[in-house]
Amino acid sequence: SQKIEQNSEALNIQEGKTATLTCNYTNYSPAYLQWYRQDPGRGPVFLLLIRENEKEKRKERLKVTFDTTLKQSLFHITASQPADSATYLCALDEDAGNMLTFGGGTRLMVKP
Amino acid sequence: DTGVSQNPRHKITKRGQNVTFRCDPISEHNRLYWYRQTLGQGPEFLTYFQNEAQLEKSRLLSDRFSAERPKGSFSTLEIQRTEQGDSAMYLCASSLESGSSPLHFGNGTRLTVT
């Protein structure tokens, strides 16, 4: 069966450290992978998109890697801040049709 | 760009009643999506439109769920004969057509069925 797995346990880190979140998938062949941030009571907000032929993408303090052999994406936030505390969702797009399939999300807590 | 707007923000209804939610997408976006999200889970895809055409509706949860986008602008999602299991956040998103464009989500309608 198809699965997208993100760590359901909250990730607690100290301000200034690098947060690394994992997205593993099974029985998908995504053409694209996207990461979103979601705050309580709000809709998800797009952060980064990476294509299947890209290994890494960066945007300011954010970095995403995509390993189609391992079937895994890693999402890094460097120099983390309390304002980065949120739930982070990965989403797969198999055919570039934008019918995204989301993982369950990982809650990040950055402590001052 | 005023973002994606959803109304109402909250809806409480009794089991068996019909409810309708509205979504106003970003004006230049021709794709519109509906997702459902329950507590602690990621959004679950329901259906999507390209302009006024509903291109995928097989993932609507049951025949009690229907969606329309009559003029290719705003969309409505209707749930008939609501059940307690329908309680969730209903999210709307819009995007440009090209490739895998980022989705722009609204802040959802939270439905509580009592």
Side-chain angles (χ1 to χ4, degrees):
Chain A
S1 63
Q2 293 181 314
K3 283 194 297 188
I4 303 173
E5 293 181 319
Q6 296 185 255
N7 195 339
S8 58
E9 292 183 13
L11 177 63
N12 293 292
I13 65 167
Q14 205 65 36
E15 182 176 9
K17 300 292 187 185
T18 296
T20 298
L21 287 72
T22 305
C23 176
N24 294 302
Y25 58 91
T26 309
N27 292 328
Y28 283 101
S29 298
Y32 298 86
L33 190 147
Q34 301 186 19
W35 283 87
Y36 288 78
R37 167 186 174 139
Q38 187 171 27
D39 291 285
R42 313 280 287 186
V45 174
F46 171 77
L47 296 174
L48 280 169
L49 177 154
I50 189 165
R51 294 173 173 79
E52 61 178 332
N53 60 352
E54 297 177 317
K55 297 286 187 190
E56 181 178 298
K57 204 78 166 284
R58 292 176 185 258
K59 178 182 173 184
E60 298 172 352
R61 294 185 296 111
L62 308 181
K63 184 177 85 171
V64 172
T65 63
F66 193 9
D67 189 326
T68 55
T69 301
L70 290 179
K71 298 187 183 298
Q72 180 183 78
S73 175
L74 299 178
F75 178 79
H76 306 271
I77 306 175
T78 58
S80 59
Q81 305 165 359
D84 295 326
S85 299
T87 295
Y88 291 86
L89 300 156
C90 71
L92 306 184
D93 182 354
E94 286 199 278
D95 59 2
N98 246 5
M99 291 186 293
L100 298 182
T101 304
F102 282 84
T106 297
R107 187 175 174 205
L108 173 66
M109 300 284 291
V110 181
K111 298 183 179 179
Chain B
D1 178 358
T2 57
V4 176
S5 176
Q6 291 189 247
N7 288 288
R9 288 280 284 134
H10 303 274
K11 177 72 177 178
I12 300 173
T13 192
K14 295 191 178 196
R15 190 175 52 190
Q17 297 294 305
N18 299 343
V19 293
T20 300
F21 311 139
R22 177 177 170 127
C23 173
D24 288 88
I26 293 171
S27 57
E28 59 267 29
H29 287 178
N30 56 3
R31 285 191 174 177
L32 185 149
Y33 309 80
W34 285 99
Y35 283 79
R36 183 179 83 152
Q37 187 174 27
T38 53
L39 200 61
Q41 303 297 314
E44 176 186 14
F45 174 82
L46 295 178
T47 188
Y48 92 101
F49 294 84
Q50 184 162 302
N51 300 312
E52 63 274 12
Q54 191 173 12
L55 297 187
E56 173 59 58
K57 57 182 179 180
S58 66
R59 300 192 210 177
L60 285 167
L61 300 165
S62 79
D63 58 7
R64 297 184 296 107
F65 287 70
S66 63
E68 292 184 341
R69 195 182 183 196
K71 297 182 180 178
S73 57
F74 75 91
S75 175
T76 57
L77 177 71
E78 181 181 16
I79 309 173
Q80 295 183 327
R81 305 180 304 281
T82 52
E83 301 173 356
Q84 286 188 320
D86 297 332
S87 295
M89 176 77 86
Y90 291 85
L91 293 163
C92 174
S94 67
S95 78
L96 296 170
E97 181 178 342
S98 60
S100 186
S101 301
L103 299 190
H104 296 254
F105 282 88
N107 286 325
T109 294
R110 179 163 294 285
L111 173 67
T112 302
V113 182
T114 62

